[in-house]
């Protein structure tokens, strides 16, 4: 059994030796240590393993008797042994490259699942600021340290600068954020509604022909369950605000996408592209071609923001942007 122990100690020489000696006598092994300096005290966080039969209360009492104060002991998994800065860097990668929800990633990094705390004194609240000035709050029974607050804000600021956490329309009070996922038959109505909210120009860029609305059920069904590929959507709350079709056409993988006007220039097209590239790579594709109308410069910019090296060709008034998938990480079906 592993525990994370957080304790406040006097900032004096030898105090850690006293803690280590007490743990050694009790058969508790120290596997990890982080120091969060404060003045005039210091907060230490240790990951420890204990003998069979030990409880959270017993672990907390051991550290309190050895000179610690404000001791909290919570059960944790082996993931807590991973270096903290490495975990945060991986978190940034997951948000930017895999399209994960930044709120979900922060909850994992800060381990906010309700712990069995030996001496519960109420939840601490961590308030982080988004790019648009709105707040993202995270709460936890174990108080946050200044270092954790700084790390979390740095991660949020980094992904905010990349434009993946704040859409043009402010998320609802329920904290809805864009999520990229595969589509299914349950999305027929939402995909139809997305197209009805799009302008004539946006629809033309996607389909290269004038599109009659409202959309027929047959067409909507083909858009969410294509014959030779898969459909992807960007969902915010209960609304689908972006859609794309990844298809195998004449032995070549192609991707065509649409993002409704109010959500354009917020990085959603780039996230759809990255996800589509990962799914195409998983399906065995060596390259992927994005197809759009010849006048759609936004798609070219989105390809650049996604970090792809592309070959651009024109076919019958349309633009084909082909990118190699050699350095793209495959994404399994979710």
């Amino acid at each position: 059994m592993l525990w994370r122990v957080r304790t406040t100690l006097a900032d004096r020489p030898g105090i850690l030796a006293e803690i280590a000696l007490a743990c050694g006598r009790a058969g508790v092994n120290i596997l990890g240590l982080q120091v969060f300096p404060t003045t005039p005290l210091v907060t230490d966080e240790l990951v420890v393993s204990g003998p069979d039969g030990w409880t959270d209360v017993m672990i907390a009492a051991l550290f309190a008797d050895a000179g610690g104060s404000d001791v909290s002991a919570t059960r944790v998994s082996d993931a807590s042994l991973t270096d903290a800065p490495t975990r945060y860097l991986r978190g940034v990668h997951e948000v930017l490259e895999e399209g994960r929800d930044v709120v979900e990633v922060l909850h994992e990094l800060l381990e906010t699942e309700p712990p069995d705390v030996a001496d519960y004194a109420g939840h601490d609240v961590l308030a982080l600021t988004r790019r648009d000035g709105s707040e993202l709050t995270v709460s936890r029974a174990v108080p946050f340290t200044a270092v954790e607050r700084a790390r979390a804000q740095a991660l949020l600021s980094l992904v905010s600068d990349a434009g993946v956490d704040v859409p043009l329309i402010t998320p609802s009070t329920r904290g809805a954020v864009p999520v990229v996922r595969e589509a299914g038959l349950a999305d027929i109505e939402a995909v139809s509604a997305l197209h009805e909210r799009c302008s004539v120009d946006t629809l033309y860029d996607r389909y290269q022909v004038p599109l009659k609305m409202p959309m027929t059920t047959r067409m909507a069904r083909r858009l969410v369950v294509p014959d030779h590929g898969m459909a992807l959507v960007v969902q915010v709350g209960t609304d689908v605000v972006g859609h794309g079709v990844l298809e195998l056409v004449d032995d070549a993988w192609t991707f065509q996408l649409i993002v409704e006007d109010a959500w354009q220039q917020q990085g959603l097209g780039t996230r759809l592209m990255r996800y589509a590239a990962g799914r195409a790579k998983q399906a065995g594709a060596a390259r992927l071609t994005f197809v759009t109308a010849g006048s759609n410069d936004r798609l070219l910019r989105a390809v650049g923001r996604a970090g792809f090296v592309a070959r651009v060709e024109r076919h019958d008034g349309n633009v084909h942007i082909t990118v190699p998938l050699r350095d793209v990480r495959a994404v399994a079906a979710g």
Side-chain angles (χ1 to χ4, degrees):
M1 180 73 70
L2 296 180
W3 286 270
R4 171 180 287 104
V5 179
R6 183 165 292 177
T7 180
T8 299
L9 302 170
D11 190 8
R12 62 173 176 81
I15 186 65
L16 277 178
E18 296 172 18
I19 295 290
L21 183 59
C23 287
R25 287 172 174 167
V28 172
N29 191 22
I30 299 174
L31 303 174
L33 171 67
Q34 286 193 80
V35 178
F36 302 107
T38 56
T39 303
L41 303 174
V42 63
T43 297
D44 285 1
E45 182 180 274
L46 304 93
V47 177
V48 304
S49 64
D52 293 340
W54 274 61
T55 66
D56 304 348
V57 173
M58 294 169 66
I59 291 288
L62 172 66
F63 279 80
D65 292 342
S69 61
D70 299 323
V71 180
S72 65
T74 56
R75 299 188 191 100
V76 294
S77 67
D78 290 343
S80 296
L81 296 173
T82 304
D83 173 65
T86 301
R87 293 178 64 215
Y88 275 79
L89 289 172
R90 286 177 181 168
V92 171
H93 176 83
E94 290 169 1
V95 174
L96 296 182
E97 299 298 328
E98 300 175 14
R100 289 195 63 196
D101 177 6
V102 66
V103 179
E104 178 185 342
V105 169
L106 283 170
H107 277 285
E108 286 186 5
L109 291 171
L110 296 168
E111 296 181 283
T112 61
E113 288 299 315
D116 189 3
V117 181
D119 186 13
Y120 177 70
H123 273 63
D124 188 17
V125 177
L126 171 60
L128 306 173
T129 304
R130 295 180 182 269
R131 179 166 54 113
D132 66 349
S134 63
E135 277 195 348
L136 184 162
T137 60
V138 181
S139 62
R140 190 178 69 185
V142 179
F144 298 104
T145 66
V147 172
E148 285 180 310
R149 293 174 185 273
R151 285 175 181 166
Q153 183 61 66
L155 184 149
L156 183 62
S157 296
L158 184 58
V159 300
S160 294
D161 289 343
V164 301
D165 77 311
V166 181
L168 182 64
I169 299 175
T170 302
S172 71
T173 55
R174 293 175 297 174
V177 294
V179 175
V180 180
R181 61 173 176 80
E182 291 188 36
L185 290 175
D187 296 304
I188 285 180
E189 291 185 4
V191 169
S192 296
L194 156 68
H195 284 75
E196 291 181 22
R197 295 192 299 268
C198 289
S199 67
V200 173
D201 290 340
T202 294
L203 292 172
Y204 187 85
D205 285 342
R206 164 62 175 90
Y207 296 98
Q208 294 87 55
V209 294
L211 192 64
K212 288 185 177 181
M213 300 303 297
M215 180 178 291
T216 65
T217 301
R218 180 180 179 183
M219 181 177 181
R221 181 185 177 91
R222 291 191 63 183
L223 287 176
V224 298
V225 186
D227 293 334
H228 304 290
M230 67 200 71
L232 308 176
V233 294
V234 182
Q235 182 173 341
V236 180
T238 58
D239 292 328
V240 168
V241 301
H243 170 267
V245 175
L246 181 64
E247 284 188 296
L248 185 61
V249 179
D250 297 330
D251 296 324
W253 282 94
T254 66
F255 186 63
Q256 292 180 276
L257 64 96
I258 187 170
V259 176
E260 72 172 89
D261 298 62
W263 288 83
Q264 291 175 10
Q265 300 183 35
Q266 302 302 308
L268 301 189
T270 299
R271 291 177 65 180
L272 270 172
M273 287 179 174
R274 287 172 174 160
Y275 194 94
R279 292 295 288 117
K281 179 69 172 289
Q282 179 70 18
R287 60 189 60 85
L288 177 63
T289 299
F290 303 102
V291 182
T292 187
S295 59
N296 187 7
D297 293 332
R298 292 190 305 273
L299 189 71
L300 284 168
R301 291 194 294 270
V303 169
R305 287 193 297 269
F308 294 128
V309 177
R311 184 181 75 249
V312 180
E313 300 174 308
R314 293 188 179 274
H315 296 274
D316 299 325
N318 296 332
V319 172
H320 289 206
I321 306 168
T322 302
V323 301
L325 303 180
R326 180 180 58 255
D327 298 324
V328 173
R329 190 169 76 173
V331 175

